[in-house]
Amino acid sequence: MTAHFPLIEAAATPGARMLGSIDALARESAGMLDRPFQRGQYDRLDWLTLTAQHLWPDTPVAIAAARVGPHSLWLPLRDGGAGRARSLASWYTLAFGPIATPGCPEDVRATLLETIARQVGKRFGALALWPLEPEVCAEVQSAFRAQGWIVIARVETAHWVAHTAGLDFDAYWARRGSKLRNTVRRRAKSSPVETQIFDRFDADAWAAYETVYAGSWKPNEGSPAFVRAFAEQEGAAGTLRLGIARRDGQPVAAQFWTVENRVATIHKLAHLESERANSPGTLLSHAMFRQVLDHDRPDLIDYGNGDEGYKAEWMDERRVRHRLRMFNPYCLSGLAAGASIAAKALLRRVAR
């Protein structure tokens, strides 16, 4: 194993420290957070770099790092001041958690996570982590509780997926409800659209995406620069799937997907509010699902976080994402943050 990580020195006993920049993380990880080694999109250095640069440019990062033998684990945080920290994530992040070097055994990962919990407690008294998959939530709770932290967990949002291993589009479509299939059939006849799907970044197509988004029901984009930079990055990697639907030459719906490691992820979608009655987004989804299922053949389609009603029509399983609030009772900032949460909970009960 050590030969795979030439720049990561082996440590005989677990050790930890805080890294104060993405550059420091890049140096320490020695390429192990790059695309070839991290299957998870949100576990990669390039994702963390874009998040820090575009979403939290004025917020210090604090990356807890632990190592034993050839194995390392990192917990990327942003320093909120006053002894409080949050996950280095944003509303674009669909899953967050500790990031390990490839091949790290479960028992070693657990040891390193407890080491990180001790290290984090030397600097922060309150920690908020989101969005966590259930198994990640469980391992983080276990590690921090073992180090004396008080942990409050709650389900924060839904997360929808479709299981598509071995399915082409026709087989997938046959499993959808009659309401969705009838809507597509009717709209395709009464309000047809022309669709294009790009697997490389295209400036004109991206301009169409931004036009649709600006005229949609969606709130203002939090960081258009982040979304474009991510699309450019994935276009260069060959994982981008950017769909544009046009009526009479004008863009009316747009979707931004990525496909990688047999997982297709729907990151962004929008249609013009003025076109709502014509369902251009539904017609574009039909085209996107057909293209991805017949050509990319993913095992899973991920519709992201959120419990919007339309997702259930396209997906098979409703999962959840958790939020963790953790307090270190051995420091004033942890006690203060924990007392504030307890007081708010008490007031809510009284108000009922």
Side-chain angles (χ1 to χ4, degrees):
M1 283 294 287
T2 307
H4 291 260
F5 310 102
L7 299 182
I8 299 180
E9 298 178 0
T13 57
R17 62 179 179 144
M18 299 295 291
L19 307 176
S21 70
I22 295 294
D23 288 342
L25 176 61
R27 290 192 296 271
E28 175 165 305
S29 61
M32 291 301 104
L33 298 184
D34 293 346
R35 191 180 296 265
F37 299 101
Q38 295 293 335
R39 292 178 62 84
Q41 201 163 56
Y42 316 105
D43 294 338
R44 296 175 186 156
L45 184 68
D46 53 18
W47 178 270
L48 297 172
T49 299
L50 290 179
T51 299
Q53 288 179 347
H54 291 284
L55 280 306
W56 315 111
D58 301 319
T59 303
V61 300
I63 302 163
R67 180 185 307 167
V68 64
H71 306 294
S72 291
L73 189 72
W74 297 276
L75 185 65
L77 305 172
R78 48 191 173 95
D79 187 341
R84 304 186 183 200
R86 296 177 179 271
S87 48
L88 183 56
S90 75
W91 49 96
Y92 299 117
T93 305
L94 300 183
F96 175 83
I99 309 167
T101 45
C104 183
E106 287 187 14
D107 60 333
V108 174
R109 181 182 173 99
T111 296
L112 291 175
L113 192 50
E114 286 195 27
T115 303
I116 279 177
R118 287 195 298 272
Q119 182 67 27
V120 170
K122 296 176 182 179
R123 177 164 171 178
F124 299 109
L127 198 58
L129 302 182
W130 177 90
L132 306 178
E133 296 170 290
E135 59 273 19
V136 174
C137 181
E139 70 166 352
V140 173
Q141 283 190 77
S142 177
F144 276 76
R145 279 181 172 147
Q147 297 305 311
W149 289 69
I150 298 169
V151 180
I152 300 173
R154 75 179 189 196
V155 173
E156 184 75 4
T157 189
H159 185 92
W160 285 91
V161 299
H163 301 284
T164 56
L167 300 182
D168 62 8
F169 177 76
D170 288 341
Y172 161 83
W173 194 239
R175 298 182 176 190
R176 299 304 104 198
S178 59
K179 178 182 176 182
L180 177 61
R181 289 187 281 113
N182 289 336
T183 296
V184 169
R185 185 165 49 248
R186 290 195 307 271
R187 294 303 183 216
K189 291 180 180 179
S190 64
S191 307
V193 295
E194 304 83 41
T195 60
Q196 281 184 289
I197 300 173
F198 300 82
D199 61 7
R200 290 292 186 272
F201 185 84
D202 182 274
D204 291 337
W206 193 255
Y209 165 87
E210 291 186 326
T211 296
V212 170
Y213 200 93
S216 75
W217 80 100
K218 297 283 184 108
N220 290 337
E221 187 66 80
S223 176
F226 172 91
V227 180
R228 177 171 181 141
F230 178 49
E232 290 174 336
Q233 171 185 287
E234 297 308 301
T239 68
L240 175 69
R241 303 294 181 267
L242 178 64
I244 305 295
R246 290 182 171 87
R247 192 187 317 283
D248 300 326
Q250 299 302 310
V252 293
Q255 297 190 14
F256 171 13
W257 294 34
T258 56
V259 183
E260 188 176 17
N261 298 321
R262 307 196 70 83
V263 176
T265 303
I266 305 172
H267 295 277
K268 304 288 291 184
L269 76 170
H271 62 258
L272 294 181
E273 184 64 22
S274 59
E275 287 278 336
R276 177 182 291 272
N278 298 318
S279 305
T282 301
L283 295 178
L284 179 56
S285 289
H286 184 265
M288 294 288 289
F289 274 79
R290 180 182 291 280
Q291 173 76 13
V292 167
L293 285 167
D294 285 347
H295 293 273
D296 297 303
R297 305 308 294 265
D299 293 337
L300 190 79
I301 298 180
D302 181 339
Y303 218 147
N305 298 337
D307 214 8
E308 295 86 350
Y310 59 81
K311 292 183 178 181
E313 293 186 303
W314 296 89
M315 298 288 104
D316 301 321
E317 180 187 359
R318 183 185 185 273
R319 299 176 175 177
V320 295
R321 290 290 187 263
H322 292 260
R323 179 185 294 271
L324 280 182
R325 289 182 173 179
M326 301 188 288
F327 310 100
N328 180 0
Y330 304 109
C331 68
L332 289 177
S333 60
L335 288 172
S340 175
I341 295 297
K344 290 177 181 177
L346 179 60
L347 286 173
R348 285 195 296 270
R349 292 195 194 99
V350 171
R352 291 175 189 166

